[in-house]
Amino acid sequence: MEPKQIREGYLVKKGSVFNTWKAMWVVLLEDGIEFYKKKSDNSPKGMIPLKGSTLMSSCQDFAKRMFVFKITTTKQQDHFFQASFLEERDAWVKDIKRAIKCIEGGQKFARKSTRRSIRLPETIDLGALYLSMKDTERGIKELNLEKDKKVFNHCFTGSCVIDWLVSNKSIRNRQEGLMIASSLLNEGYLQPAGDLSKNAADGIAENPFLDNPDAFYYFPDSGFFCEENSSDDDVILKEEFRGVIIKQGCLLKQGHRRKNWKVRKFVLREDPAYLHYYDPAGGEDPLGAVHLRGCVVTSVESNPDGRKGDEENLFEIITADEVHYFLQAATPKERTEWIKAIQVASRTGK
């Protein structure tokens, strides 16, 4: 029986022989991690067994690289992976830790559910409640909140969640609200942002969810991102970097000259609306920028260069200056999410 596939996506991996970092297509299975040079490859370039392995989620071995985690096997071999942003790293780390724990306990992988430990009323439908919370008019308002010189975009406080549940008559009291919010958190409908809420979710506090104005949370598909603030008054950002980040991640991009495809890290900002792309293996400065104001973005069903190949999940951006960009997402869902996010940014940004 084939091992169950848990998670897949682009990560940057440090080479075992040479100290080079390269973008890889990584697949997390119940018993190990496979990594491929390209998503379309049939056989992996390598495999890391998880049995007996340990994981370090906040790896400080590389001063200039953020969001790195390390897996050490039973043979004391270190494998370093770098995510594109904090929430992506946390999601990988959470699933890898659970996979290792399941192997140790001889259990099948299953993401943590609170329905076994918290007895919810039969009338509570967490999925429907989540959709109501996200309603643009009557739901929880997403804000940009600042704490400890960090700006948390598209998030809300724990107190706001309980207040909303009370005002929406979904609960009888705040204690019952904590039970419902904890269930939403552990089922993945809410995500913790910041040390206070993350520590509670990891079991350090008595309750995994905090009814606290200093505990921040966000919806998993909201485009949430945390930014460091600079205390230097003389730091002036270029106009195109002033926009709020609403989405980021790795995509394949076709080059304009050679027409070859390479993995790039994309960061989407609105107001002003720009899509910057970077070398995912390193470099603080973008390789290029796409001004999205007035652009057209559509899905594409065939390879733009006419050659046979992996033609799934393609989409095209045509700028106001009629420059064409061809991109490829990993899944149909991811392509749809990027198209919608770019369309929103192009209408609202400068």
Side-chain angles (χ1 to χ4, degrees):
M1 190 174 178
E2 291 291 324
K4 177 184 174 183
Q5 183 174 304
I6 298 167
R7 176 180 291 277
E8 61 180 351
Y10 288 110
L11 292 173
V12 176
K13 184 181 183 298
K14 180 179 177 291
S16 300
V17 180
F18 302 103
N19 292 326
T20 54
W21 293 76
K22 291 184 179 180
M24 296 281 183
W25 181 257
V26 182
V27 179
L28 171 61
L29 304 172
E30 287 181 308
D31 60 351
I33 295 175
E34 294 179 342
F35 49 95
Y36 299 76
K37 188 175 180 180
K38 294 188 295 183
K39 180 178 181 287
S40 56
D41 288 351
N42 293 321
S43 56
K45 191 174 181 181
M47 198 271 193
I48 304 168
L50 290 179
K51 186 176 181 179
S53 295
T54 58
L55 186 145
M56 183 180 292
S57 60
S58 184
C59 181
Q60 306 296 328
D61 292 33
F62 309 95
K64 293 185 178 181
R65 290 189 176 273
M66 298 176 67
F67 317 129
V68 173
F69 61 91
K70 178 174 72 172
I71 300 170
T72 304
T73 66
T74 53
K75 295 182 179 180
Q76 298 304 305
Q77 293 176 325
D78 292 334
H79 298 271
F80 297 92
F81 292 92
Q82 182 182 19
S84 297
F85 51 100
L86 180 63
E87 291 68 42
E88 183 180 56
R89 185 197 67 183
D90 288 350
W92 275 96
V93 165
K94 187 175 182 180
D95 280 347
I96 294 170
K97 281 184 175 179
R98 181 151 290 275
I100 293 173
K101 189 174 181 180
C102 288
I103 293 171
E104 292 173 350
Q107 302 170 331
K108 284 286 185 181
F109 180 93
R111 288 190 172 90
K112 185 178 179 182
S113 173
T114 56
R115 286 194 176 269
R116 296 171 186 168
S117 56
I118 298 176
R119 195 171 179 181
L120 292 176
E122 293 297 325
T123 54
I124 295 294
D125 182 339
L126 293 180
L129 186 61
Y130 166 71
L131 293 176
S132 298
M133 295 171 80
K134 287 200 66 183
D135 185 273
T136 53
E137 293 183 1
R138 299 182 180 180
I140 296 175
K141 301 303 179 186
E142 296 177 82
L143 305 169
N144 294 344
L145 303 175
E146 187 173 350
K147 186 180 180 183
D148 299 330
K149 296 184 179 179
K150 294 180 181 179
V151 178
F152 297 86
N153 298 300
H154 297 275
C155 69
F156 38 83
T157 69
S159 297
C160 285
V161 173
I162 306 300
D163 289 343
W164 184 88
L165 289 170
V166 171
S167 64
N168 201 45
K169 298 181 180 179
S170 300
I171 56 174
R172 290 168 295 183
N173 50 58
R174 298 188 80 84
Q175 188 60 37
E176 189 175 274
L178 277 175
M179 181 179 69
I180 301 297
S182 296
S183 298
L184 288 164
L185 179 70
N186 287 320
E187 292 288 349
Y189 292 111
L190 300 177
Q191 295 291 327
D195 294 337
L196 184 62
S197 55
K198 285 183 179 180
N199 288 338
D202 288 339
I204 295 175
E206 183 179 350
N207 197 299
F209 187 91
L210 298 177
D211 180 3
N212 189 318
D214 291 325
F216 298 163
Y217 300 89
Y218 65 95
F219 297 123
D221 55 353
S222 65
F224 164 84
F225 186 65
C226 175
E227 293 178 292
E228 296 278 357
N229 273 345
S230 173
S231 59
D232 299 328
D233 295 333
D234 58 347
V235 173
I236 301 176
L237 290 174
K238 291 174 63 177
E239 178 65 23
E240 63 189 64
F241 293 103
R242 290 184 181 275
V244 174
I245 295 175
I246 59 173
K247 189 171 179 60
Q248 57 185 325
C250 285
L251 297 167
L252 280 171
K253 177 185 175 295
Q254 187 188 49
H256 282 102
R257 293 182 180 179
R258 297 183 181 180
K259 305 298 181 184
N260 56 342
W261 292 82
K262 290 186 177 181
V263 179
R264 295 292 180 234
K265 174 186 172 181
F266 285 83
V267 177
L268 175 62
R269 292 177 169 89
E270 67 174 356
D271 197 23
Y274 276 89
L275 183 65
H276 295 93
Y277 52 94
Y278 302 75
D279 180 354
E284 296 180 1
D285 296 326
L287 300 174
V290 184
H291 190 195
L292 298 175
R293 181 64 174 171
C295 79
V296 176
V297 55
T298 58
S299 59
V300 178
E301 301 306 326
S302 61
N303 203 319
D305 56 17
R307 294 181 296 180
K308 292 183 178 180
D310 187 2
E311 300 178 353
E312 295 180 344
N313 312 316
L314 298 171
F315 63 100
E316 177 185 15
I317 301 172
I318 306 175
T319 68
D321 297 331
E322 296 189 1
V323 179
H324 295 242
Y325 294 86
F326 291 97
L327 308 173
Q328 184 179 31
T331 64
K333 180 183 176 184
E334 186 180 56
R335 175 174 70 172
T336 301
E337 289 173 352
W338 273 103
I339 289 175
K340 287 182 177 179
I342 292 170
Q343 286 174 338
V344 170
S346 67
R347 289 195 296 266
T348 59
K350 294 178 183 177

